[in-house]
Amino acid sequence: MMMKKVLAILMLLPTFAFAESWLGKPKGEVILEIIGDLSHQNADGEAHFDRSMIESLPQATIVTANHVLSEPATYQGPVLEDLLLKLGAKGDTILVTALDDYTAELRRTDLKKYKVLLATHENGRMMTIDDRGPFFIVFPFDQNKELRKDLYYNMSVWQVKSIEIE
Amino acid sequence: MTDTTDLIDQRTAPPKTLVLLFILLALVILAGVAYSINSIKDINDETVEPYLAIINNNLGVSPKLLKIVSHIQDYQTDANNKSLARMKKGYRIMRASILNDIDSEKTKALHENFGDLEKVSKIIEKIKGFDKSFEAIIEDRHDENLAKIKSIRKKFERLYSRWNTYSRKVIQNVQQAQADTWAGWNYQLKIQLYFLLTVAASSIIAIALMYALYMNQMRTGRKLKRRTRELNEARIQAEESTRAKSRFLANMSHEIRTPLNGIIGLSKLAYARIQDREVKGYLENVVLSGSTLLQIINDVLDFSKIEANKATLDVSDFDLADILDPVKTSMHFAAKAKGIPFIVRTPPFAAIALRGDSVKITQVITNLCSNAIKFTERGGVVLTISIDRNYDQALLNIQVTDTGIGLTEEQQRLIFQEFVQADDSTTRKFGGTGLGLSISRSFVELMEGEISVASKQGEGTLFDVKIPLTMAVDPHREERETDQEQLISNSNHLSVKVLGPQNFEVEEIAKDLESLGISVNQEPFTHVLFSSSEYIPDFKKRMEHLVNSFGVPCILCLSNDLISSVKDLAGPVTIIEAPYSSDSVLNSFNQAQEAETDEEDDLPSHALVNKSILVAEDNTINQLVVKETLTTLGAKVSIANNGLECIEKLRNDTYDLILMDIQMPEMDGIAATKRIIADALAPNTPIVALTANVFKEDVESYIEVGMSAHLPKPFDPEALCDLVQQLTA
């Protein structure tokens, strides 16, 4: 009996080896760092992403106006909660830090409820540090009246640099 | 006891002040509610948020500007391509971030309200302007760059302080606005609080008011109930009192009439039997007194009925003769006692069938005539009756004229009121209750007629009565009218010499005859008419002389006592009974020339022969009266003392008629009659109620119980005779 058990465990070993296989490693400039209790990581417990890694994630869109643009715009990017789930992130809130040193705390429940986007493109054009890129956290403001208040506008962070799961 | 309606008006209606207060409160509450709703609506529109957003934006720009300066500082400290790149990147990031913040529509709107949009636009332009400046900073040309970067840095620092000042001002404005808003809210809250207090107070007052009103209502309701109960009790008491009075009157009526019946009845019997003139005179007075007393009692009873609004019309068909005959008899009696003549002027024929309340009409005429006789010492009294016909309407005109003491204008005005007589001396001199005229007027008015008086004090009085009646159906009318026309046409050929001891009488009779178309005192005479009620010595001799001297038929109109003395007078003599009345005189002119004795006062002694009559009567005097009257008429009379005895007698014998008194001990008339009918003790024997109780309801009850007729006590012997004959025919 013992022999069978040991064999079973030994058989599973290769899966650990491939634990980070879907994640990959960034080849270009790292534009996003995700820190926290993750099941998948590629840089000392953190998950670093370059542009191509982000672009290979499943994409979604939200069409909405916001605190910056008074006319609705089409935002495209991966769903943030899905990415966190994929990474096996454990925690109820995330701390988002932007390039301009702005920080904001977001709740995982909100991210899930509203399918909040980690947008990269605005109206088909990629966002840069000269406007709201590389990442703009977009809530579906136009679709949900209760989001159209300062509380959520302040959570809609532009020039996102890193996300820390708490 | 106050009127209930007053009670309702005053107390049930809530005091006006209370009502006004109520309305006022209601308005206050409504106004408060409206204002409250309105102000809450306003509050809802305002939110706290814009303020935080503004603070956010303003705060955000300053450190970003400083960060740029910090990057420039780093390059200045160690100028190399790396720090240059970092500086440029840093600038790009911060520039983008700042513009994201303040170059959006939302921010612009806010700065419009609390800041200066122009200033912000200028600042935005300035920031954008640095793009060119940073483009001029090129790699490797550090010395050049450092020179250029100095002024760029200075500009940024200036921009930073400008923004600082501006944003502080904006924040101050916001704080002011916040303070204002809070003040506004505070004020609103206060208002709301005051409003709530007002509503609470108003509600409490309103509830208290409602309670007060409710209690008031209850109290009024209780009072009303109590008042109603009191009124009800009073009403019941009054009704009982009236009933008691009626019963009392009915009893009194019986109690008084019964002995009176005895007095009058027996006196009449004695009068008829006695020959002694003086005693006859006494008895006349007894009868007169009794009749007067009876009249008074009847007056009182009638008056009571009229007072209680219980007098009703008893309409039936009657002949004019039905009214006139009793009047003639009783008034002649009274006038004779006074020694004055009493003349009755009638339409040529009294056999006119009319429809109305004959009893009341008779009463009125009797009242007026007896008054006239009472107040006349000399001269005489004339009763004139005439009828104005118009198809089936007949207006009965009654006039009573006398040559008595007369009335002043004042007295004429008041004479018809109750208890009024001409004056107190009149009461002392002439007596009387003073009810007669009042009753007469009530009766006349009840019959929808008119009554009036005209008089000259000391000379005489005229009473005039008009009563509308209708002609009754008369199957013999045509027959009668033909006879009557015959009479009138015959009278045109007459010429009468009128004689008599009293001038007044002679003159009035002459007037009457002339109005009938008969010549008076014009030779050659066809007839002589002598009228007298006085006793004249050697009367018979004088009459004989009269008849012989004129040689024409003589008509003697005499009172009863005189008649007997000329009963067997020889010659063409017609004797008629006083008083003079047009119809009887007219009739007599056409009768046979033989002497006729009118035996009206003596009833045919064989009228009721072979009739056996059972009389149930408890009073011995009354028994005597009835028995004597009936025996005189030839009937066989049995007496029963009460209802029980009556029934006993009926078990053993049969009778032709039963005269039943009503009020008897042991068993009264009603019970006895019921028993007799129930047990069929006298199946073919009519029962007649003989009673002093003449109230309509009671008479109806006699008939209901099964009696055939009703004869009031004191009874008229002739009426009794007629009734008996009629029922036992």
Side-chain angles (χ1 to χ4, degrees):
Chain A
M1 281 332 287
M2 266 303 269
M3 270 303 273
K4 275 207 178 132
K5 271 215 181 121
V6 172
L7 254 171
I9 293 166
L10 281 174
M11 295 284 278
L12 288 168
L13 268 174
T15 58
F16 290 125
F18 292 103
E20 40 178 86
S21 64
W22 74 265
L23 189 53
K25 268 190 179 321
K27 294 185 181 71
E29 184 195 352
V30 172
I31 52 172
L32 180 68
E33 291 167 11
I34 299 183
I35 310 156
D37 187 352
L38 307 170
S39 319
H40 302 272
Q41 38 81 24
N42 54 16
D44 290 326
E46 298 175 6
H48 289 192
F49 294 83
D50 62 17
R51 187 155 295 277
S52 62
M53 284 164 82
I54 294 296
E55 279 171 6
S56 68
L57 291 170
Q59 306 283 305
T61 53
I62 292 178
V63 182
T64 184
N66 48 42
H67 46 311
V68 182
L69 297 180
S70 47
E71 292 297 318
T74 310
Y75 291 94
Q76 179 204 313
V79 177
L80 181 52
E81 177 62 17
D82 291 346
L83 175 58
L84 295 174
L85 285 172
K86 242 184 144 162
L87 291 171
K90 290 192 187 50
D92 295 326
T93 56
I94 57 172
L95 183 73
V96 178
T97 309
L99 286 170
D100 59 1
D101 297 334
Y102 181 78
T103 59
E105 211 172 72
L106 275 65
R107 293 184 291 246
R108 293 282 295 276
T109 45
D110 285 338
L111 299 180
K112 186 171 171 187
K113 183 173 176 185
Y114 296 105
K115 296 195 175 37
V116 178
L117 235 52
L118 188 65
T120 51
H121 288 75
E122 182 184 273
N123 286 332
R125 196 179 51 77
M126 194 178 79
M127 292 186 279
T128 64
I129 62 169
D130 295 309
D131 42 74
R132 291 159 276 287
F135 296 101
F136 187 21
I137 293 186
V138 175
F139 283 78
F141 296 106
D142 281 358
Q143 289 77 20
N144 297 283
K145 186 180 172 194
E146 67 273 22
L147 295 177
R148 297 200 280 274
K149 21 161 92 98
D150 262 9
L151 183 67
Y152 290 98
Y153 287 134
N154 289 343
M155 287 186 204
S156 175
V157 184
W158 61 68
Q159 299 177 336
V160 174
K161 182 169 78 176
S162 66
I163 297 173
E164 184 178 337
I165 298 122
E166 295 166 335
Chain B
M1 204 184 290
T2 54
D3 190 4
T4 311
T5 44
D6 287 344
L7 184 69
I8 291 169
D9 290 340
Q10 283 168 24
R11 302 279 181 87
T12 313
K16 285 212 169 75
T17 40
L18 277 183
V19 177
L20 279 171
L21 242 144
F22 213 78
I23 293 171
L24 202 68
L25 278 174
L27 285 174
V28 164
I29 292 172
L30 276 172
V33 168
Y35 180 73
S36 174
I37 290 173
N38 200 41
S39 56
I40 285 173
K41 200 162 59 66
D42 288 343
I43 289 178
N44 259 344
D45 291 347
E46 294 169 27
T47 53
V48 183
E49 297 204 20
Y51 307 138
L52 289 178
I54 291 161
I55 292 166
N56 236 0
N57 293 333
N58 290 332
L59 290 178
V61 170
S62 298
K64 286 168 192 172
L65 287 172
L66 283 181
K67 199 71 195 271
I68 295 171
V69 171
S70 157
H71 283 304
I72 294 173
Q73 172 70 40
D74 288 343
Y75 178 67
Q76 283 177 324
T77 310
D78 186 11
N80 53 53
N81 285 342
K82 235 193 179 166
S83 58
L84 187 124
R86 260 208 307 277
M87 181 181 71
K88 279 200 175 174
K89 187 176 182 188
Y91 164 70
R92 282 170 66 196
I93 288 170
M94 292 308 158
R95 172 198 181 279
S97 186
I98 289 168
L99 291 179
N100 280 341
D101 259 336
I102 64 177
D103 202 13
S104 70
E105 289 299 323
K106 265 201 157 61
T107 316
K108 282 188 182 144
L110 294 168
H111 280 267
E112 217 166 16
N113 287 330
F114 295 98
D116 187 343
L117 204 56
E118 259 195 67
K119 273 209 178 106
V120 173
S121 303
K122 280 203 182 116
I123 288 170
I124 288 170
E125 287 313 308
K126 269 239 148 54
I127 293 173
K128 283 185 184 165
F130 284 110
D131 289 347
K132 278 211 172 74
S133 312
F134 274 98
E135 268 169 35
I137 307 295
I138 304 166
E139 278 189 341
D140 300 322
R141 305 253 268 264
H142 300 298
D143 293 325
E144 264 181 55
N145 294 340
L146 282 172
K148 288 180 192 161
I149 212 78
K150 246 197 189 144
S151 70
I152 292 172
R153 176 180 170 154
K154 265 213 180 72
K155 281 188 189 148
F156 265 106
E157 279 165 351
R158 264 206 300 274
L159 193 61
Y160 170 77
S161 69
R162 269 180 72 187
W163 179 258
N164 244 0
T165 317
Y166 172 75
S167 60
R168 297 276 167 236
K169 189 77 183 79
V170 172
I171 286 168
Q172 230 178 318
N173 288 344
V174 168
Q175 280 166 342
Q176 180 64 53
Q178 254 187 355
D180 290 344
T181 306
W182 276 115
W185 284 349
N186 254 343
Y187 176 71
Q188 285 293 334
L189 276 171
K190 249 198 217 135
I191 298 286
Q192 294 297 318
L193 188 65
Y194 288 149
F195 165 70
L196 272 172
L197 285 173
T198 311
V199 170
S202 302
S203 302
I204 290 170
I205 295 173
I207 289 170
L209 273 176
M210 281 198 281
Y211 180 70
L213 286 171
Y214 174 71
M215 291 312 287
N216 187 38
Q217 198 73 8
M218 296 296 286
R219 192 173 49 234
T220 310
R222 273 199 301 272
K223 275 212 177 108
L224 209 65
K225 265 197 204 144
R226 185 158 46 92
R227 208 45 70 90
T228 313
R229 198 175 51 237
E230 281 172 8
L231 283 173
N232 237 12
E233 280 166 12
R235 180 177 57 85
I236 290 170
Q237 252 186 338
E239 279 175 5
E240 268 181 37
S241 159
T242 311
R243 269 198 296 274
K245 268 193 226 168
S246 294
R247 264 178 279 134
F248 170 74
L249 280 174
N251 282 341
M252 282 297 109
S253 160
H254 180 266
E255 293 304 315
I256 292 170
R257 284 173 134 128
T258 306
L260 212 45
N261 178 33
I263 294 170
I264 296 171
L266 287 170
S267 303
K268 279 189 178 165
L269 285 172
Y271 178 87
R273 271 205 207 167
I274 285 260
Q275 301 300 326
D276 186 310
R277 173 144 286 106
E278 250 185 79
V279 176
K280 248 180 151 72
Y282 297 153
L283 289 170
E284 256 188 71
N285 281 313
V286 171
V287 173
L288 193 64
S289 300
S291 304
T292 310
L293 192 57
L294 193 64
Q295 185 57 46
I296 291 171
I297 293 162
N298 289 339
D299 278 358
V300 170
L301 288 173
D302 280 338
F303 181 67
S304 308
K305 264 202 235 171
I306 291 168
E307 278 292 288
N309 291 325
K310 280 230 169 133
T312 53
L313 285 178
D314 197 359
V315 174
S316 62
D317 293 348
F318 62 93
D319 266 349
L320 202 56
D322 295 338
I323 304 179
L324 293 179
D325 289 349
V327 171
K328 282 194 227 172
T329 316
S330 53
M331 291 303 108
H332 168 67
F333 214 63
K336 183 164 173 319
K338 206 98 187 262
I340 54 172
F342 175 66
I343 314 284
V344 180
R345 296 179 62 175
T346 66
F349 357 92
I352 299 171
L354 297 167
R355 189 167 174 75
D357 189 333
S358 59
V359 172
K360 291 199 174 57
I361 294 172
T362 312
Q363 224 168 319
V364 171
I365 299 174
T366 307
N367 169 246
L368 294 175
C369 292
S370 70
N371 278 349
I373 293 169
K374 191 155 90 172
F375 293 108
T376 304
E377 297 294 326
R378 45 156 198 86
V381 174
V382 179
L383 166 66
T384 312
I385 306 270
S386 64
I387 295 178
D388 295 337
R389 262 193 74 177
N390 185 11
Y391 296 103
D392 65 336
Q393 303 298 314
L395 183 67
L396 180 63
N397 296 302
I398 303 162
Q399 283 183 337
V400 177
T401 42
D402 66 60
T403 54
I405 61 172
L407 305 162
T408 61
E409 296 253 338
E410 179 75 10
Q411 289 161 345
Q412 285 173 52
R413 235 173 21 88
L414 300 171
I415 199 72
F416 290 110
Q417 290 175 12
E418 339 29 283
F419 310 121
V420 168
Q421 290 185 313
D423 57 51
D424 288 334
S425 61
T426 317
T427 318
R428 280 198 298 279
K429 193 170 172 195
F430 295 99
T433 55
L435 284 175
L437 278 176
S438 157
I439 293 170
S440 293
R441 186 183 68 168
S442 297
F443 282 171
V444 168
E445 281 173 2
L446 192 64
M447 292 187 273
E448 293 177 15
E450 292 168 3
I451 182 168
S452 60
V453 62
S455 177
K456 202 137 182 229
Q457 196 173 29
E459 287 187 18
T461 312
L462 162 69
F463 277 93
D464 187 289
V465 176
K466 294 189 187 340
I467 300 172
L469 302 169
T470 51
M471 301 298 294
V473 174
D474 180 11
H476 304 294
R477 189 190 300 280
E478 267 192 51
E479 215 181 292
R480 286 204 215 177
E481 280 178 3
T482 334
D483 288 344
Q484 286 155 3
E485 273 163 31
Q486 188 75 36
L487 271 176
I488 295 205
S489 62
N490 287 348
S491 59
N492 286 336
H493 310 299
L494 301 172
S495 176
V496 179
K497 171 86 180 157
V498 181
L499 297 167
Q502 302 231 359
N503 281 341
F504 179 85
E505 194 167 5
V506 169
E507 278 163 20
E508 288 296 328
I509 291 172
K511 257 194 246 171
D512 190 44
L513 290 175
E514 276 169 349
S515 74
L516 290 169
I518 300 170
S519 325
V520 173
N521 294 336
Q522 284 183 14
E523 306 203 16
F525 306 126
T526 56
H527 288 79
V528 169
L529 174 63
F530 179 87
S531 174
S532 173
S533 304
E534 290 177 359
Y535 174 74
I536 301 170
D538 298 325
F539 189 62
K540 188 165 178 190
K541 270 217 174 71
R542 285 177 184 247
M543 290 300 108
E544 279 172 352
H545 178 70
L546 188 75
V547 173
N548 292 332
S549 44
F550 284 100
V552 287
C554 287
I555 300 181
L556 307 177
C557 180
L558 308 168
S559 56
N560 282 345
D561 52 338
L562 294 175
I563 288 173
S564 48
S565 59
V566 294
K567 248 189 247 187
D568 41 3
L569 202 61
V573 172
T574 311
I575 300 178
I576 55 175
E577 195 180 337
Y580 169 91
S581 83
S582 322
D583 56 334
S584 58
V585 162
L586 201 61
N587 229 6
S588 68
F589 283 130
N590 295 285
Q591 277 174 1
Q593 312 287 355
E594 303 150 36
E596 240 183 77
T597 342
D598 203 324
E599 296 191 40
E600 279 175 36
D601 69 322
D602 291 337
L603 295 164
S605 55
H606 51 273
L608 297 180
V609 122
N610 290 331
K611 307 278 187 212
S612 66
I613 301 174
L614 175 60
V615 177
E617 168 66 63
D618 62 316
N619 183 284
T620 27
I621 296 178
N622 288 343
Q623 284 175 1
L624 197 55
V625 171
V626 173
K627 186 160 183 207
E628 283 300 311
T629 311
L630 289 173
T631 320
T632 314
L633 293 166
K636 197 153 146 269
V637 179
S638 296
I639 303 282
N641 286 303
N642 55 52
L644 277 177
E645 274 190 35
C646 178
I647 288 170
E648 275 308 306
K649 280 207 151 59
L650 282 173
R651 290 196 202 282
N652 301 323
D653 289 311
T654 47
Y655 299 87
D656 293 315
L657 184 89
I658 303 171
L659 289 173
M660 185 79 78
D661 183 26
I662 297 299
Q663 269 164 299
M664 297 183 286
E666 304 284 333
M667 185 191 273
D668 68 50
I670 303 266
T673 308
K674 278 189 187 164
R675 189 69 181 283
I676 292 167
I677 294 192
D679 293 353
L681 294 171
N684 297 320
T685 311
I687 307 174
V688 174
L690 187 65
T691 175
N693 196 342
V694 296
F695 288 114
K696 200 171 173 189
E697 308 84 48
D698 298 317
V699 171
E700 280 167 3
S701 69
Y702 305 151
I703 308 295
E704 255 176 61
V705 144
M707 297 195 181
S708 308
H710 158 252
L711 194 63
K713 274 197 287 202
F715 61 84
D716 178 18
E718 208 177 303
L720 175 62
C721 179
D722 285 343
L723 188 63
V724 172
Q725 281 184 322
Q726 195 184 321
L727 289 173
T728 57

